């Protein structure tokens, strides 16, 4: 096939892009988005600060606009993210203990209920593990409400939207390392105790090399009985960019339970990684070499 989405669909996968409601009026941008992608995720519009700016007062305007665009085009929607230590509304940042726990679980319930039936996969919890060698949890106001906050969030999300796949999502998990192993152990524990989890998101914000255990890491999560999704792919521009994009795509294609890939933005200048030019399209919307390498890898599968 000749587009990313249609090529991924040949093997039952999706190919998605992170976007924002304010882009819906950008003609060049939307021409590419509509042509190439069969899944979208809100880069910011469904986060806690965006959806519950004041406690108990919810704003779904931009999230709804993205969902409605996706539905009109038959695209899937990933939901990102119900709970995260960053981009919390200011009212939550100062909270702790049972008040914060209750507010967080209420947030999960309200947002997942609002979008019920419309979300393919939710990032229920984002980035809860620490970097470095500990393999443990990241300190945060949410973590300080008790180690069971993650499973409480997953149970609340399942109750609110039984049809959505529920994912744990994190970065620096691009191979077998202490952080990805900590997450692996949590997922294994959740599966053994019946905590509802369906997928692991590997963000894949990559530099100029790819960990040699990238595919092996995808495979070990799949072997636990969860889907794996590449959720925020972008790759530092440099000699290897097209090759790394192709290797990531091939690694996903090689694992049956790796069900989709999302790139974290459309055109280079709009990336959160200023100056990295880490995306598949340049500032004029032209396809880069990395685009062609991904397309070929999808069609080789
Ligand atoms: O919306 C406000 C606007 O009202 C204000 O005037 C402006 C001034 O700074 O800021 C705007 O908010 C910015 C927001 O993006 C929307 O543009 C924030 O400052 C800015 O920090 C925020 O950055 C986002 C970042 O998450 C926040 O941590 C990036 O766009 C987004 O790409 C990035 O995405 C994260 C994923 O959610 C999780 N994984 C890592 C990834 C990259 O950091």
């Amino acid at each position: 096939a000749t587009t990313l989405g249609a090529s991924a669909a040949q093997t039952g996968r999706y190919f998605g892009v992170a976007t924002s409601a304010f882009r819906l009026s950008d003609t060049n941008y939307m021409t590419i988005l509509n042509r190439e992608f069969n899944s979208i995720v809100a880069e910011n519009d469904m986060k806690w600060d965006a959806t519950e700016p004041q406690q108990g007062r919810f704003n779904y305007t931009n999230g709804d606009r993205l969902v409605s665009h996706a539905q009109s085009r038959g695209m899937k929607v990933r939901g990102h993210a119900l709970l995260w230590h960053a981009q919390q509304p200011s009212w939550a940042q100062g909270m702790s203990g049972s008040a914060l726990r209750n507010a967080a679980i209420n947030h999960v319930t309200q947002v997942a209920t609002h979008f019920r039936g419309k979300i393919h996969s939710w990032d229920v919890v984002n980035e809860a593990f620490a970097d470095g060698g500990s393999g443990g949890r990241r300190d945060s106001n949410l973590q300080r409400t008790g180690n069971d906050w993650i499973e409480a969030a997953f149970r609340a999300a399942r109750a609110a939207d039984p049809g959505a796949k529920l994912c744990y999502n994190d970065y620096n998990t691009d191979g077998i390392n202490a952080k990805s192993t900590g997450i692996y152990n949590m997922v294994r524990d959740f599966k053994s105790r019946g905590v509802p989890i369906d997928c692991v998101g590997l963000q894949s914000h990559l530099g100029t090399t790819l960990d040699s255990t990238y595919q092996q890491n995808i495979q070990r999560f799949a072997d636990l009985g969860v889907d794996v999704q590449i959720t925020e792919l972008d790759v530092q521009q440099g000699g290897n960019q097209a090759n790394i994009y192709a290797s990531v795509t091939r690694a996903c294609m090689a694992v049956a339970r790796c069900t989709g890939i999302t790139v974290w933005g459309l055109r280079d200048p709009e990336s959160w990684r200023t100056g990295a030019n880490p995306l598949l399209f340049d500032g004029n919307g032209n396809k880069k070499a990395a685009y062609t390498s991904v397309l070929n890898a999808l069609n080789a599968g």
Side-chain angles (χ1 to χ4, degrees), residues 16-287:
V17 63
T19 189
S20 299
F22 75 87
R23 305 263 185 225
L24 290 167
S25 55
D26 180 332
T27 313
N28 172 275
Y29 180 102
M30 290 308 295
T31 299
I32 301 167
L33 185 145
N34 290 337
R35 184 186 71 219
E36 295 289 341
F37 298 94
N38 58 2
S39 172
I40 60 171
V41 62
E43 185 172 358
N44 291 295
D45 289 333
M46 292 192 192
K47 291 172 179 175
W48 196 353
D49 60 349
T51 52
E52 196 180 1
Q54 297 165 276
Q55 187 169 14
R57 304 267 301 262
F58 292 85
N59 182 347
Y60 299 116
T61 307
N62 287 331
D64 285 345
R65 289 174 66 203
L66 290 175
V67 167
S68 118
H69 181 79
Q71 288 186 328
S72 76
R73 294 257 164 191
M75 298 170 175
K76 294 179 171 36
V77 181
R78 296 196 80 259
H80 174 83
L82 292 171
L83 292 180
W84 188 20
H85 66 272
Q87 277 180 291
Q88 294 181 0
S90 49
W91 62 263
Q93 288 174 32
M95 288 177 79
S96 63
S98 59
L100 175 61
R101 171 68 71 97
N102 292 339
I105 297 304
N106 181 59
H107 180 76
V108 171
T109 298
Q110 295 298 322
V111 177
T113 299
H114 174 82
F115 291 108
R116 173 165 47 209
K118 299 173 177 171
I119 302 296
H120 174 271
S121 313
W122 264 115
D123 291 333
V124 177
V125 170
N126 192 43
E127 300 175 7
F129 276 72
D131 291 312
S134 76
R137 298 286 182 86
R138 171 196 297 277
D139 179 51
S140 72
N141 60 344
L142 291 165
Q143 182 62 29
R144 290 191 291 271
T145 71
N147 204 51
D148 62 340
W149 73 278
I150 297 182
E151 60 194 83
F154 275 84
R155 291 188 199 281
R158 180 69 98 225
D161 186 356
K165 289 180 184 289
L166 305 182
C167 303
Y168 176 80
N169 190 52
D170 216 325
Y171 67 93
N172 283 351
T173 52
D174 312 314
I176 294 181
N177 57 38
K179 185 173 179 178
S180 63
T181 299
I183 295 163
Y184 176 87
N185 289 336
M186 178 188 75
V187 174
R188 189 175 54 186
D189 171 56
F190 280 13
K191 295 295 283 185
S192 76
R193 291 190 295 113
V195 178
I197 184 167
D198 307 304
C199 36
V200 170
L202 304 177
Q203 293 186 11
S204 306
H205 295 294
L206 301 174
T208 54
T209 59
L210 184 64
D211 192 298
S212 63
T213 60
Y214 188 84
Q215 182 179 321
Q216 204 186 330
N217 189 46
I218 296 175
Q219 185 69 58
R220 72 168 172 162
F221 280 104
D223 290 345
L224 288 176
V226 290
D227 289 346
V228 176
Q229 303 177 18
I230 311 305
T231 51
E232 303 184 14
L233 180 61
D234 52 19
V235 181
Q236 170 78 43
Q237 185 155 286
N240 281 325
Q241 186 180 50
N243 289 335
I244 291 173
Y245 263 109
S247 298
V248 168
T249 305
R250 283 193 295 263
C252 181
M253 302 282 287
V255 178
R257 290 200 80 145
C258 184
T259 59
I261 299 175
T262 299
V263 287
W264 203 245
L266 192 70
R267 300 177 299 204
D268 278 338
E270 295 140 5
S271 169
W272 71 289
R273 296 173 70 177
T274 310
N277 294 320
L279 299 173
L280 299 178
F281 296 88
D282 69 18
N284 295 319
N286 296 312
K287 297 168 181 175

